[in-house]
Amino acid sequence: MWFVGLYALVPAVQRVIEAFTRVGKSRIIWDADQYYLDDPMMEAGHFLRLAQRSLGPGLVAASDLIRTSPPSIELVALPDTISEVQAAVARIMALSIEERARTCLVLADQQLLLPLLAMLPADTGPVTVSMGLPLTDLPLTSLVDLHLRLLHDHDERSGYRVSDLLAWCGHSIWQNAATLRTLRGELKRSRQDRTHLHALLPTEGIDVGPIEPLVRSLSPLSARDEDVHQRLLDLLRAVQVLCTDPFALEQAYRTAVVLDEVRHALDRAGYKANMQTYHQLLGRLLRSTQLTLSGEPLQGLQVIGMLESRATDHHRLILLGANEGHLPPTDVRMSFIPGDLRMAYGLPSRSDADAIAAYGFYRILHHTREVVLLFVDDGQAEKERSRFITQLDHELSPVATNQFHRSALRPAMPEGRHPPRDLAKTPAVLAGIEEHAEHGLSPSALSSFLRCPLDYYYRYLLRVPETEERSASLGNNEVGTLVHTSLEQLYRPFLGKQIDPVALEGSVKDIAILLRANLPSGTSATAGPPLLQLGMAQHALERAVLTEVRHLGTGKDILLLGLETPLDHRVPRGGGGSASRPFRVKGRIDRIDARQGMVNLVDMKTGMADPSELSLRSLDVEGIDARHAKALQLLVYSWLYLNNNPDVPCVRASILPLRSSGSGEGIPLLVAGEERIQRAQLPAITAIIGGLVERMCDPDVPFRHEPASHYCKICMT
């Protein structure tokens, strides 16, 4: 019996070989090099040394090629993983077809396979892929994760998050499914944060039959884990029905096999798993399951993994992903067996896995004549090059100086300027602007136009939603709504009265209760990021309220006049300064109070505010630019209040930043250094607003992105 090229022998295999050896029936050939075999400090030879002690040195002596005839080794540092793939593809395409057949691409990072195959041109010639991909690195697993998150986050009253449904419908698995594109269009037109799936399925124009498995897969869960299993089976059935890509269908088949393994494991154990436990167990099995790609190893360019590299003997080898974390890998499968027990019973350990990875690395140096090692070096500790490269550089480089070459590739970065983005005002666009102006321009819309006209177009005319990347955290808009609603409820008992500092201080204990009660439907803040965000919001509100308590304690009375007060005012044709058309402005003021005989308008902000942004030299429309967007908002609030309350001679407007509420009076709006906005200034403010409206409606001035604006999340995507 011949035993060739073996390395890390499990006890059962070793006992079989020992049995053949005792009766003289074994022929053993080890695949080793003296460079690491003879050095007891080299982990690459660890298992070979153990095996040779009991099984002998083998029929063929270990080579000494790494030390006496090392290959040409080129170390190439790159800024990111995609640059690694691009550099490898460029080297491959610079070779002739014949030379490509003598070349092997080894992927220490298996996640680079799909980008590599996507970047290889069609005229590359024969390409053979022989490696395995963990299911967790493939698109279908991310769809399963997203699907489970949807099911977990479902609210019986309000349904699913629209942002999650958009990500689900837009997943790459569904790229050829027309019905999913239709459904995604319905979601984009939705103006709700949450919705039920059935509300998005029109009675005509869409064939519900093909997506029936999808609809079943998103049926609300009951308390049984069997429901989770069935929902995922329905999802895989939908993939089978809607997808024609063989690669996606193979992923669905492998995932279905894993689902059966999860079900059988739970049944054997008699364990009833909740959603979290089921998801964790499914993830463990998906990580341990590979989709195997196999090809003809004697034809064309070879693309293989580190495990398959033990069987290669190419002239040229390009290794991608030669970084710590991949070489050796750190994502070694977690075990339920404690480390002490593993050591006591001789079970594989982390150091054993490192030794196997080290052997795989040094094995590629045996007969290869050209080795290119590509690794990421972005200056961060977590992207450190592999320790095996450092070891080679330290030990082999001094004795083989001419064989080592080092280089660093950095792609040329384009100049960070965005070209002008213009959008002409067609008759339809102008009609939309006039309709918006007649219906009511909010202070936020006016400040958005001042900050970036193109951003105003997308937000308020096209109504493009500003979607935030979905995560376990609460979105910025959700935190803002949570804080504003809780503050309104906290202060409502004082509406129309002098604020009692003792009663206000006593209400601080209710802040945590109010915040939890006002959490978005279906959101839990018992752990993770939402718990931290809730704690930060509670701290900010308590600090703001206690600051006001101290302010009241100095003898300064505050009469609370309004909370979330809606106001609007219409300017007739010719009444808006330079604006020749009528317009209407409407807004909602967070808080109105009276202090020392003066009305004070307060705009609550969950973020920060800079006093310089709230200072205007004069009420000249030409002197107000994008830097004064927040000042314009306060100016419009003051204008609205004075027009709705003709008996009030002046007002004070301020922003109260809850994140840094050091003053109970907030940061005031200043016009020429004066806090008071006088009634006599109303015509000048009207002219400013009218000038902005006229600029909006000017057909000769296109909507253009303002390069200085840092808040455009829509027009710069």
Side-chain angles (χ1 to χ4, degrees):
M1 178 70 69
W2 287 88
F3 300 96
V4 180
L6 300 179
Y7 179 60
L9 304 178
V10 297
V13 173
Q14 181 152 341
R15 289 180 182 179
V16 169
I17 300 176
E18 288 173 349
F20 277 96
T21 302
R22 282 194 296 269
V23 297
K25 298 294 185 181
S26 67
R27 302 291 185 271
I28 303 174
I29 298 178
W30 306 110
D31 188 6
D33 190 275
Q34 295 179 16
Y35 179 74
Y36 55 82
L37 181 62
D38 296 342
D39 186 349
M41 298 300 293
M42 293 281 282
E43 57 187 344
H46 171 68
F47 285 105
L48 284 174
R49 290 190 291 269
L50 291 178
Q52 288 188 3
R53 289 173 192 169
S54 59
L55 299 175
L59 299 178
V60 179
S63 65
D64 195 16
L65 295 175
I66 295 180
R67 185 183 293 108
T68 60
S69 181
S72 169
I73 300 176
E74 183 175 359
L75 311 179
V76 184
L78 296 123
D80 52 57
T81 54
I82 295 300
S83 297
E84 283 187 84
V85 177
Q86 292 173 331
V89 170
R91 286 176 178 269
I92 292 298
M93 299 311 297
L95 301 173
S96 64
I97 295 293
E98 293 76 16
E99 286 300 313
R100 292 173 195 170
R102 303 175 63 200
T103 302
C104 181
L105 285 175
V106 180
L107 305 184
D109 181 1
Q110 295 174 322
Q111 293 184 349
L112 298 181
L113 176 60
L114 297 182
L116 174 67
L117 296 179
M119 290 187 192
L120 281 174
D123 59 349
T124 303
V127 177
T128 299
V129 180
S130 302
M131 61 183 297
L133 277 176
L135 288 182
T136 47
D137 292 345
L138 298 175
L140 186 57
T141 299
S142 64
L143 179 64
V144 170
D145 289 340
L146 182 56
H147 198 81
L148 289 174
R149 188 169 70 192
L150 272 170
L151 293 173
H152 180 264
D153 195 45
H154 178 267
D155 181 72
E156 186 176 351
R157 292 175 300 168
S158 55
Y160 296 103
R161 288 182 187 270
V162 170
S163 58
D164 281 350
L165 281 173
L166 276 169
W168 181 75
C169 291
H171 196 278
S172 60
I173 287 289
W174 312 123
Q175 58 183 340
N176 296 321
T179 49
L180 268 296
R181 287 197 295 271
T182 304
L183 188 59
R184 183 172 171 82
E186 293 292 329
L187 284 167
K188 286 184 175 180
R189 286 187 285 273
S190 174
R191 294 288 175 252
Q192 300 174 325
D193 291 332
R194 286 178 173 267
T195 186
H196 292 281
L197 187 61
H198 61 78
L200 302 170
L201 299 176
T203 56
E204 56 185 27
I206 182 172
D207 183 9
V208 181
I211 65 171
E212 184 179 353
L214 272 183
V215 176
R216 290 200 309 267
S217 73
L218 285 175
S219 301
L221 289 171
S222 69
R224 297 179 301 164
D225 60 289
E226 292 89 347
D227 292 337
V228 180
H229 181 79
Q230 186 58 49
R231 298 299 181 274
L232 293 181
L233 288 179
D234 289 334
L235 176 66
L236 298 181
R237 174 61 180 167
V239 172
Q240 185 182 17
V241 171
L242 297 173
C243 296
T244 57
D245 180 14
F247 190 50
L249 296 178
E250 181 66 19
Q251 294 175 57
Y253 169 73
R254 298 288 183 181
T255 304
V257 172
V258 173
L259 286 178
D260 282 342
E261 292 179 5
V262 173
R263 183 67 171 272
H264 292 324
L266 293 175
D267 288 344
R268 286 195 304 268
Y271 181 70
K272 183 178 178 62
N274 56 27
M275 168 76 82
Q276 183 179 4
T277 305
Y278 185 94
H279 195 180
Q280 289 175 346
L281 182 57
L282 176 62
R284 288 178 61 88
L285 290 176
L286 287 173
R287 281 194 296 273
S288 64
T289 304
Q290 292 202 336
L291 193 154
T292 303
L293 306 174
S294 58
E296 172 52 58
L298 301 179
Q299 292 183 2
L301 173 68
Q302 301 294 310
V303 181
I304 60 178
M306 285 301 298
L307 181 62
E308 294 78 12
S309 68
R310 291 177 53 194
T312 186
D313 191 12
H314 285 71
H315 173 79
R316 181 182 298 103
L317 187 143
I318 303 175
L319 191 150
L320 291 80
N323 283 89
E324 285 293 309
H326 302 302
L327 194 65
T330 55
D331 56 345
V332 179
R333 237 172 280 162
M334 296 294 291
S335 173
F336 294 113
I337 304 175
D340 292 342
L341 282 179
R342 300 183 68 84
M343 183 177 296
Y345 286 92
L347 298 177
S349 64
R350 172 62 185 275
S351 60
D352 293 337
D354 289 350
I356 293 173
Y359 174 75
F361 175 77
Y362 282 99
R363 167 61 184 77
I364 66 178
L365 305 179
H366 283 194
H367 302 286
T368 303
R369 303 319 304 153
E370 296 179 20
V371 177
V372 180
L373 304 176
L374 306 177
F375 58 92
V376 173
D377 182 8
D378 60 358
Q380 304 297 322
E382 59 267 21
K383 288 294 185 181
E384 185 181 3
R385 70 179 185 177
S386 170
R387 69 188 76 167
F388 302 148
I389 295 180
T390 303
Q391 188 173 3
L392 272 183
D393 205 1
H394 176 70
E395 296 178 350
L396 199 58
S397 175
V399 299
T401 307
N402 296 331
Q403 299 298 99
F404 267 78
H405 310 279
R406 301 169 183 81
S407 62
L409 299 181
R410 293 290 184 269
M413 299 300 294
E415 189 175 356
R417 293 181 180 178
H418 296 285
R421 299 191 178 191
D422 294 354
L423 192 143
K425 295 174 182 174
T426 63
V429 171
L430 290 171
I433 299 172
E434 293 197 9
E435 180 183 355
H436 188 203
E438 291 178 6
H439 180 263
L441 296 163
S442 66
S444 297
L446 290 168
S447 65
S448 176
F449 177 79
L450 180 66
R451 187 170 55 240
C452 176
L454 188 59
D455 193 53
Y456 160 79
Y457 168 76
Y458 285 123
R459 286 175 184 270
Y460 294 95
L461 297 185
L462 293 187
R463 297 182 181 179
V464 176
E466 183 182 317
T467 57
E468 297 184 4
E469 183 178 349
R470 181 72 182 104
S471 66
S473 306
L474 296 172
N476 291 333
N477 59 332
E478 293 176 318
V479 173
T481 302
L482 173 65
V483 168
H484 277 76
T485 304
S486 301
L487 268 179
E488 180 187 0
Q489 295 172 354
L490 190 72
Y491 276 88
R492 187 156 293 281
F494 305 104
L495 190 60
K497 309 174 186 176
Q498 297 282 348
I499 298 178
D500 181 359
V502 176
L504 182 60
E505 185 174 12
S507 68
V508 170
K509 66 180 184 302
D510 299 327
I511 290 177
I513 300 172
L514 290 173
L515 286 171
R516 289 193 176 275
N518 292 314
L519 279 170
S521 179
T523 301
S524 172
T526 57
L531 179 62
L532 295 176
Q533 290 176 297
L534 201 67
M536 293 172 64
Q538 178 181 342
H539 177 71
L541 291 187
E542 289 175 352
R543 182 173 57 185
V545 171
L546 292 176
T547 298
E548 185 151 83
V549 169
R550 288 193 294 270
H551 180 76
L552 291 166
T554 61
K556 298 177 181 178
D557 295 334
I558 298 178
L559 174 64
L560 188 59
L561 301 175
L563 291 169
E564 299 293 332
T565 306
L567 295 173
D568 71 75
H569 181 66
R570 190 176 187 277
V571 177
R573 185 181 300 276
S578 61
S580 59
R581 66 197 83 245
F583 60 88
R584 180 184 176 197
V585 179
K586 60 180 182 179
R588 185 180 296 271
I589 302 176
D590 292 339
R591 169 172 157 169
I592 306 172
D593 59 49
R595 308 180 185 207
Q596 299 175 348
M598 182 183 295
V599 173
N600 188 48
L601 312 178
V602 182
D603 185 17
M604 304 283 189
K605 297 291 186 185
T606 55
M608 305 288 288
D610 187 343
S612 65
E613 298 174 334
L614 302 181
S615 179
L616 298 174
R617 292 184 179 180
S618 65
L619 293 179
D620 181 6
V621 67
E622 300 299 329
I624 298 178
D625 56 26
R627 296 171 299 173
H628 305 117
K630 292 179 181 177
L632 177 67
Q633 277 188 275
L634 292 182
L635 200 63
V636 174
Y637 284 134
S638 303
W639 178 82
L640 280 170
Y641 189 84
L642 289 172
N643 276 301
N644 279 266
N645 297 272
D647 56 329
V648 177
C650 62
V651 297
R652 177 184 183 272
S654 63
I655 285 179
L656 183 62
L658 297 175
R659 190 179 297 180
S660 58
S661 52
S663 169
E665 298 184 349
I667 304 173
L669 168 67
L670 299 177
V671 177
E674 174 60 44
E675 291 186 6
R676 298 184 182 187
I677 307 299
Q678 305 284 350
R679 179 167 294 278
Q681 295 172 309
L682 285 181
I685 301 175
T686 304
I688 290 174
I689 301 173
L692 290 174
V693 173
E694 195 65 23
R695 199 186 306 171
M696 285 183 187
C697 299
D698 189 344
D700 297 327
V701 180
F703 285 120
R704 174 173 293 173
H705 170 68
E706 172 55 53
S709 175
H710 302 294
Y711 301 96
C712 299
K713 293 185 178 179
I714 302 175
C715 63
M716 291 308 298
T717 57

